[in-house]
Amino acid sequence: MELINPIAQRWHRKATLDPEGFWARAADQLPWFRKWDRVFEWNFPTFRWFLGAQTNLAYNCLDYHINRGWGGHTALIYINERGERRLFTYAQLRHEVERIAAALRGMGIQKGDRITIYMPLCPEAVMLMLATVRIGAIHSVVFAGFGAGALIDRIQASGSRLVFTADVTFRKGKEVRLKEIVDSALETTGHSVTQVIVLRRTRDDVPMTPGRDIFWSEFLARAADQWGGYISMEANEPAYILATSGTTAKPKLAVHTHGGYSVGIYSMGRWCFNMRPTDVWWSTSDIGWVVGHSYIVYAPLLIGCTTLAYEGALDHPGPETPWQIVEEFGVTGIFTSPTAVRLLMRYGEGPSRKSNLSSLERVFCAGEVLNAPAWEWLQKQVLNDQIPVMDHWWQTETGGPVIGNPYGLTMIPIKPGSAGIPLPGMEIAIMTPEGELCAPGEKGILVIQRPFPSLTPALWGEPERYGWDYWKRIPNKNVYFTGDSAHLDEDGYVWFAGRADEVIKIAAHRIGTIEVESAILKHPAVTEAGVTGRPDPVRGEIISAFVVLKHGYEPSPQLRQEVLETIRRELGPVAVVGDLNFVNMLPKTRSGKIMRRVLKAVVLDKEPGDITTIEDEGSVGEARQAWQQMKAEITGIPAEDVISS
Ligand code: AMP
């Protein structure tokens, strides 16, 4: 593959010609207790990196910096939507982590044991993650916005003995009571949990089950000794497991290791994000997601940055909140999601004008495509084109970015709507489901042709599923199947079209959901859009669109017509829209991804299936109501007359 930028091309070539040498040089940037005997071994489908090397991810995040005299440098800034702030230096953070590590050992937790963390993004949760990894145990963080069903599924899949939770988490001015959700999850029989540890933050009335539940202070008192050690781990031993965002009832737990994972996220922290120890880095995600693991906790600390953790809703107490945080703490880099950008876009750029954003050097976005209009708003209206806003692509399984702008090495021109180019060390291709390579411009499935260090080498307890779900989906090609539909352009940029199984097939054309949504967002009244295909006797499928308007706009037949015209102008007559529904919110996962399969169920008049990970169940009812109303309008009228073409 030829990339437009000569520096990026050189890095790419170095990695392709000698991948093992390339990644060994990257690994040399990190401290090791003992170096590897072999760089890489691939026993298809699984693989190992840095075989025989000894390390510890949590040690490298803390002790390594303290030993080189950085103990007084701020490691963690915690803020919540109530205005509370707590700061920890590297030395203070290690002190707390050591106490927790000793308590975990006092509770009988040993190397290889799993614990579940169902806690808000608070300092204790971050410390607990680091303490777990420090003693060689394995954490499984479950997002504290999930309900009891999703929680018990993940507890059972991990086989955890301990569950850590808090009395409450803060969300939009409310307290969400977490402990009760744990109680309800544990009513299910057949799980392995023996103890629940509760961090009490505000409430005196936490229901506790005697013999099973203890408070955080009692947990700390279980420390058998003042143990200040750490466990040396072989590079391929797991540091943590984390459920993928797949929405099947049985969660898949991706494994991330001490060695390869460190090398991958550290390298991409430098090459893609240009992270440096002088950074005040703010990733607006949550520890419940991989972004929170890799770019709130582990990579910023591996690099020696100050990482900022914010608990709460970004627009609470008001839409000025995120911009005020940037000014107050001198934030230099932001990692956020398109959903967050679109949320703030609803309020316009006014709130950002009240703060001084001059400390900010760059903004990154991932999780979904950063549609061109949302990019333009942030880049031009809010940031006055002074600093770059860059999309990049990855998955829970990849641990860190795969496609992006190699900003830390050389900045490539931003093409709004594209996620960028393959980052150094990433060998990717676009293929048909049969394994034929697609030409530039031709849509196919994004595949990864060779493992890189932070790619998950296993699914916890499911070796067969790992092979079948990722490496054997395209017959005889031995490539990793990402499940995303995309095309490459002549300059090597990747353009995502949506999940491969959600592509809409209209007559002979295959249109990605993202392409239609991006077109809809071009209308100035629209802030969000989610689309799906529904069967049509003439064309095979036509588009059903669900549209959220910005503040100050009301749905009307005229506005509907205008949006339809925008789609037609952007995509041409092939994008046949069967119905366009106005709603106040879209069904989204708790991580902000539009649940298009729920929209599909709505327009097919079916039950939505598993919605344990949904942000707001009310969104399903709303979509259903809008669709029923629309159906009543279009019933009896031939499809030809209601479509936009
Ligand atoms: P998760 O494992 O929850 O991080 O979700 C990974 C999925 O999110 C990917 O397979 C894509 O479908 C989607 N995704 C992540 N980043 C992007 C991006 N920049 N552009 C388009 N889709 C993205």
Side-chain angles (χ1 to χ4, degrees):
M1 179 190 306
E2 283 297 317
L3 301 173
I4 183 177
N5 178 302
I7 299 175
Q9 178 65 25
R10 209 160 54 234
W11 275 79
H12 194 67
R13 186 158 297 142
K14 269 197 288 192
T16 320
L17 290 177
D18 175 19
E20 294 186 16
F22 177 85
W23 285 115
R25 282 191 298 279
D28 273 334
Q29 306 301 311
L30 283 162
W32 300 86
F33 303 139
R34 177 185 187 277
K35 292 249 172 135
W36 46 92
D37 302 314
R38 269 182 76 188
V39 176
F40 179 61
E41 178 189 85
W42 197 359
N43 277 326
F44 185 83
T46 196
F47 49 84
R48 292 193 291 167
W49 282 97
F50 311 113
L51 289 80
Q54 291 288 324
T55 188
N56 184 295
L57 170 61
Y59 174 93
N60 290 346
C61 285
L62 299 173
D63 303 59
Y64 170 65
H65 301 303
I66 294 165
N67 294 347
R68 57 178 174 158
W70 291 9
H73 184 52
T74 305
L76 174 67
I77 299 174
Y78 164 78
I79 316 171
N80 65 28
E81 60 172 35
R82 305 174 150 207
E84 289 163 37
R85 281 125 172 71
R86 292 165 70 190
L87 268 67
F88 299 86
T89 63
Y90 274 85
Q92 288 165 335
L93 191 58
R94 181 177 64 176
H95 176 71
E96 299 299 329
V97 168
E98 279 177 348
R99 288 174 69 201
I100 298 171
L104 283 170
R105 282 165 53 94
M107 300 279 289
I109 295 295
Q110 294 180 349
K111 179 174 166 179
D113 289 345
R114 278 85 58 211
I115 65 154
T116 291
I117 303 178
Y118 181 67
M119 292 175 78
L121 173 51
C122 60
E124 287 77 6
V126 172
M127 293 162 187
L128 180 58
M129 290 166 74
L130 290 160
T132 309
V133 170
R134 191 174 178 88
I135 65 168
I138 301 167
H139 59 68
S140 168
V141 181
V142 180
F143 176 58
F146 281 155
L151 174 60
I152 191 65
D153 286 345
R154 284 157 182 72
I155 290 175
Q156 281 175 325
S158 69
S160 299
R161 226 160 24 83
L162 305 187
V163 174
F164 289 79
T165 190
D167 52 356
V168 294
T169 178
F170 310 129
R171 188 86 193 157
K172 275 214 177 265
K174 295 203 191 89
E175 289 188 346
V176 182
R177 300 185 67 145
L178 294 179
K179 172 62 170 48
E180 280 83 334
I181 299 173
V182 173
D183 289 343
S184 139
L186 295 182
E187 278 167 16
T188 311
T189 50
H191 59 74
S192 44
V193 177
T194 54
Q195 296 224 270
V196 177
I197 296 95
V198 186
L199 176 72
R200 185 157 39 184
R201 311 174 86 200
T202 62
R203 310 214 51 114
D204 292 328
D205 57 346
V206 189
M208 298 292 275
T209 304
R212 189 196 69 182
D213 303 348
I214 58 171
F215 284 116
W216 189 261
S217 50
E218 203 182 319
F219 159 68
L220 288 180
R222 296 279 175 97
D225 48 31
Q226 286 304 310
W227 188 76
Y230 49 84
I231 302 285
S232 177
M233 304 291 288
E234 201 275 338
N236 294 284
E237 290 182 303
Y240 71 80
I241 51 182
L242 181 65
T244 65
S245 62
T247 42
T248 50
K250 190 165 186 299
K252 287 197 273 200
L253 296 179
V255 172
H256 284 300
T257 61
H258 279 260
Y261 174 74
S262 302
V263 174
I265 62 166
Y266 176 93
S267 304
M268 289 308 160
R270 306 297 293 241
W271 302 339
C272 181
F273 302 138
N274 196 24
M275 290 168 86
R276 310 174 298 279
T278 46
D279 267 324
V280 178
W281 176 261
W282 182 18
S283 172
T284 69
S285 184
D286 185 276
I287 46 162
W289 316 121
V290 71
V291 178
H293 287 64
S294 298
Y295 291 103
I296 294 177
V297 182
Y298 293 117
L301 297 180
L302 278 176
I303 292 172
C305 308
T306 299
T307 186
L308 193 149
Y310 174 77
E311 177 187 359
L314 267 188
D315 59 344
H316 191 85
E320 309 78 21
T321 303
W323 313 114
Q324 287 168 346
I325 292 175
V326 170
E327 177 174 334
E328 182 180 347
F329 293 97
V331 171
T332 54
I334 290 185
F335 181 154
T336 191
S337 66
T339 312
V341 176
R342 292 193 295 256
L343 168 81
L344 296 175
M345 194 163 97
R346 286 181 96 168
Y347 300 102
E349 54 276 13
S352 68
R353 296 269 178 263
K354 299 182 191 153
S355 299
N356 176 352
L357 306 180
S358 59
S359 60
L360 205 53
E361 290 169 23
R362 69 281 195 213
V363 176
F364 297 92
C365 250
E368 282 204 296
V369 83
L370 180 62
N371 317 78
W375 175 83
E376 201 147 307
W377 176 77
L378 187 56
Q379 173 78 52
K380 302 207 165 134
Q381 310 301 320
V382 176
L383 300 167
N384 299 319
D385 249 342
Q386 298 293 308
I387 59 164
V389 175
M390 292 166 278
D391 189 7
H392 64 294
W393 177 99
W394 49 302
Q395 305 180 307
T396 304
E397 295 87 336
T398 66
V402 175
I403 314 284
N405 199 318
Y407 172 76
L409 303 171
T410 174
M411 196 183 141
I412 58 164
I414 297 171
K415 297 194 187 188
S418 163
I421 60 173
L423 290 162
M426 301 297 165
E427 290 182 43
I428 60 131
I430 308 287
M431 282 184 176
T432 66
E434 294 73 39
E436 300 292 327
L437 276 181
C438 295
E442 199 186 327
K443 217 177 295 164
I445 294 156
L446 174 73
V447 299
I448 296 169
Q449 291 167 298
R450 208 186 136 82
F452 49 88
S454 67
L455 184 63
T456 190
L459 290 177
W460 184 257
E462 298 188 289
E464 289 297 316
R465 193 178 184 192
Y466 177 72
W468 287 115
D469 277 12
Y470 298 113
W471 290 97
K472 298 180 185 172
R473 288 286 290 269
I474 298 195
N476 308 319
K477 289 290 172 190
N478 295 5
V479 291
Y480 171 96
F481 180 90
T482 65
D484 281 348
S485 169
H487 76 267
L488 281 167
D489 69 14
E490 297 287 349
D491 299 327
Y493 282 62
V494 183
W495 297 78
F496 285 96
R499 295 292 294 169
D501 54 6
E502 289 173 349
V503 164
I504 305 169
K505 297 167 211 94
I506 305 175
H509 304 281
R510 298 168 65 81
I511 302 187
T513 48
I514 289 174
E515 293 169 286
V516 186
E517 288 158 11
S518 299
I520 297 175
L521 281 170
K522 291 253 161 97
H523 191 284
V526 176
T527 188
E528 282 207 290
V531 307
T532 183
R534 72 175 163 84
D536 174 73
V538 182
R539 295 173 177 83
E541 272 189 309
I542 50 176
I543 297 163
S544 280
F546 291 80
V547 171
V548 182
L549 297 176
K550 284 184 188 155
H551 288 309
Y553 290 92
E554 289 298 322
S556 70
Q558 191 200 337
L559 195 51
R560 174 176 288 125
Q561 200 49 42
E562 278 179 33
V563 176
L564 289 172
E565 279 161 19
T566 308
I567 303 173
R568 190 184 166 85
R569 194 175 56 244
E570 293 294 320
L571 299 176
V574 292
V576 182
V577 181
D579 53 279
L580 192 143
N581 310 276
F582 291 113
V583 287
N584 287 314
M585 57 181 163
L586 294 172
K588 285 196 213 159
T589 62
R590 298 267 174 181
S591 58
K593 291 182 204 294
I594 299 166
M595 296 176 86
R596 298 177 186 87
R597 68 175 175 83
V598 171
L599 295 177
K600 179 152 224 135
V602 165
V603 297
L604 295 180
D605 296 319
K606 289 190 173 157
E607 285 305 311
D610 178 17
I611 51 167
T612 44
T613 60
I614 201 163
E615 164 92 29
D616 187 333
E617 281 192 33
S619 58
V620 185
E622 221 192 280
R624 207 178 281 294
Q625 198 183 352
W627 163 243
Q628 291 303 336
Q629 213 172 327
M630 171 60 68
K631 213 167 54 164
E633 279 176 38
I634 59 181
T635 302
I637 309 173
E640 311 310 285
D641 296 338
V642 288
I643 57 185
S644 66
S645 61

